[in-house]
Amino acid sequence: MKLPSHGANPQYLYEALNLALPDKFIDFSANINPLGPPESIKENWNGFYQDILTYPDPYGLKLKEAIAEKEGIPVESLMIGNGGAELIALVGRKLAGKKVLIIQPAFSEYEAACRANGCEVIYHQLKEPDFSFDLDEFRSKAATADAVFLCNPNNPTGIPFSSPLLLSILEECEKLSCIVIVDEAFYDFLEEYDSCFPYIHQYSKLLIIRSMTKMFAIPGIRLGYLAASPAVIAELSYLQSHWSINSIALEAGVLCLKADSFLLKTKEFIAQERNRLFQFYMACQFQVSASKVNFYLFRDPNCENQFELFNYLLQYGIIPRHTFNFPGLEGQWLRFAIKGKEDNDQLMEVLRHWRMCHPSSL
């Protein structure tokens, strides 16, 4: 059985399991803002039409300048990408033939991009049940690696690294002359977050990847950016296809950077729904990761593995993200995005029925 390696596009998941896709379903497998895009995208959409008549700016200068001003870094330390996926692929090309350490569980694209470029891949595993990080064990593995991939906050657990721990990782890798790639795809869902951006000048081998598709609910547009030293940016830009970011994405990105009230509204909504869901899970004796963002790991501790529950949910049109391709998890958890209130209510109703049929023994 070969399940899709990503969330979203549920038709492929049902096809792989020989199940009929229900007429009505709720896709909890994609971690997209349930509030949808900022209103400014819709308000300006018709104005984007003129942009398709000319070639886009190959340097994305207007968007770079807006990011640089917001983050307090020079334009030369930024590159724009066709979503985080393109940026990860470019980093994979930069690391061709190197030995790469991935902090697992993690987004599967890190390993896919590295292996596509002939890298040797090794793991440092976060330790259950709280997905803690063993710094001493990391040191010994990083000493043999050329680069380290980590996502902060972690995907799929939703748990952020503490600032002191992250600094320890950066300092250790700087001593070892080891490249560190920090994927901050979900940083803007955190109510409080100390970004790595201020450390770009201090740590010459630090690369930071950000996605704009998750918070701003524009996955169909594809947009992200990478921050690093000007020398690294120049190297990666040489590898990037010309005009890989379209004009609409560049204009939408500038609008998103101005949507401060939208970010605040989203964080408040996600925190409220996450607390509501987690209280229900605790009452029903389900287990969840200590997520601080818009997704979390979930399991029924009464089940030896979660495949029976996974199938049960799919039959009711509830689509979680499987974890069979997350090293260290191997299907022992499911990942859910936090959706709108009615969708979350529907999820809880189906899980309430599951618990009635499968009482907790804890």
Side-chain angles (χ1 to χ4, degrees):
M1 176 181 64
K2 183 173 176 56
L3 298 179
S5 59
H6 293 282
N9 303 120
Q11 66 274 21
Y12 298 118
L13 174 63
Y14 278 81
E15 182 181 321
L17 291 168
N18 263 339
L19 296 173
L21 182 67
D23 293 332
K24 293 182 179 180
F25 58 84
I26 306 172
D27 187 1
F28 288 88
S29 70
N31 305 329
I32 304 299
N33 190 336
L35 301 184
E39 194 63 27
S40 57
I41 300 290
K42 185 176 181 180
E43 292 170 353
N44 289 275
W45 189 255
N46 289 339
F48 293 158
Y49 178 76
Q50 289 299 319
D51 294 324
I52 71 173
L53 304 177
T54 57
Y55 282 96
D57 176 2
Y59 306 108
L61 189 57
K62 183 179 175 183
L63 179 54
K64 280 184 185 177
E65 288 175 342
I67 297 168
E69 182 178 357
K70 194 176 185 72
E71 298 296 338
I73 62 173
V75 168
E76 294 76 21
S77 287
L78 288 165
M79 74 178 297
I80 311 298
N82 189 271
E86 184 198 22
L87 297 168
I88 292 167
L90 290 172
V91 172
R93 290 182 66 186
K94 171 182 168 57
L95 299 176
K98 304 289 188 182
K99 185 174 183 178
V100 180
L101 173 62
I102 301 177
I103 297 175
Q104 295 282 9
F107 184 41
S108 61
E109 285 298 314
Y110 309 151
E111 181 166 356
C114 291
R115 292 202 182 278
N117 288 281
C119 297
E120 178 186 353
V121 176
I122 59 174
Y123 300 153
H124 173 76
Q125 200 73 43
L126 300 176
K127 300 187 184 302
E128 295 188 45
D130 57 352
F131 298 98
S132 60
F133 185 91
D134 187 324
L135 186 57
D136 290 333
E137 183 182 327
F138 170 80
R139 283 193 184 101
S140 64
K141 291 184 177 179
T144 70
D146 300 299
V148 173
F149 261 103
L150 67 92
C151 42
N152 187 38
N154 177 264
N155 177 12
T157 69
I159 301 171
F161 289 83
S162 70
S163 294
L165 175 57
L166 200 53
L167 275 172
S168 295
I169 293 171
L170 292 177
E171 288 170 3
E172 200 62 40
C173 290
E174 188 74 8
K175 292 176 193 172
L176 297 167
S177 195
C178 182
I179 297 168
V180 183
I181 305 99
V182 179
D183 184 352
E184 292 188 339
F186 297 95
Y187 83 100
D188 39 9
F189 285 95
L190 289 168
E191 294 178 81
E192 295 181 6
Y193 185 59
D194 294 327
S195 171
C196 283
F197 268 52
Y199 304 131
I200 288 173
H201 306 298
Q202 185 176 350
Y203 299 102
S204 60
K205 295 187 177 294
L206 172 62
L207 287 69
I208 303 169
I209 296 173
R210 285 184 176 175
S211 167
M212 297 185 74
T213 63
K214 311 297 192 301
M215 168 57 78
F216 300 108
I218 53 171
I221 290 180
R222 312 303 305 141
L223 186 63
Y225 56 95
L226 184 147
S229 71
V232 170
I233 295 297
E235 181 184 355
L236 291 173
S237 297
Y238 179 77
L239 300 173
Q240 187 176 33
S241 299
H242 216 49
W243 291 310
S244 70
I245 305 95
N246 66 73
S247 298
I248 293 175
L250 293 173
E251 290 294 334
V254 173
L255 292 174
C256 289
L257 291 174
K258 299 175 181 177
D260 292 338
S261 61
F262 173 82
L263 263 69
L264 181 61
K265 180 182 178 182
T266 295
K267 291 177 184 180
E268 290 175 347
F269 176 81
I270 293 295
Q272 180 180 350
E273 285 299 294
R274 186 176 60 239
N275 291 338
R276 192 168 71 94
L277 285 160
F278 283 17
Q279 287 174 12
F280 167 77
Y281 296 149
M282 184 181 297
C284 293
Q285 296 186 313
F286 293 114
Q287 292 180 350
V288 292
S289 59
S291 172
K292 301 296 182 185
V293 290
N294 63 320
F295 58 88
Y296 53 91
L297 287 181
F298 169 97
R299 70 178 174 188
D300 184 346
N302 297 319
C303 300
E304 186 173 342
N305 65 64
Q306 304 302 301
F307 195 72
E308 182 185 357
L309 173 56
F310 184 53
N311 270 281
Y312 178 87
L313 292 168
L314 292 177
Q315 290 171 30
Y316 281 87
I318 300 292
I319 305 173
R321 170 69 161 88
H322 72 85
T323 61
F324 287 101
N325 64 330
F326 286 100
L329 299 185
E330 280 87 30
Q332 298 303 309
W333 295 81
L334 301 174
R335 193 193 69 190
F336 287 91
I338 294 174
K339 306 283 283 184
K341 186 178 184 301
E342 291 184 3
D343 289 343
N344 295 330
D345 287 343
Q346 184 64 29
L347 169 62
M348 288 188 284
E349 184 58 34
V350 173
L351 287 170
R352 187 178 289 112
H353 186 267
W354 164 271
R355 178 54 80 227
M356 289 172 59
C357 299
H358 302 78
S360 176
S361 59
L362 296 179

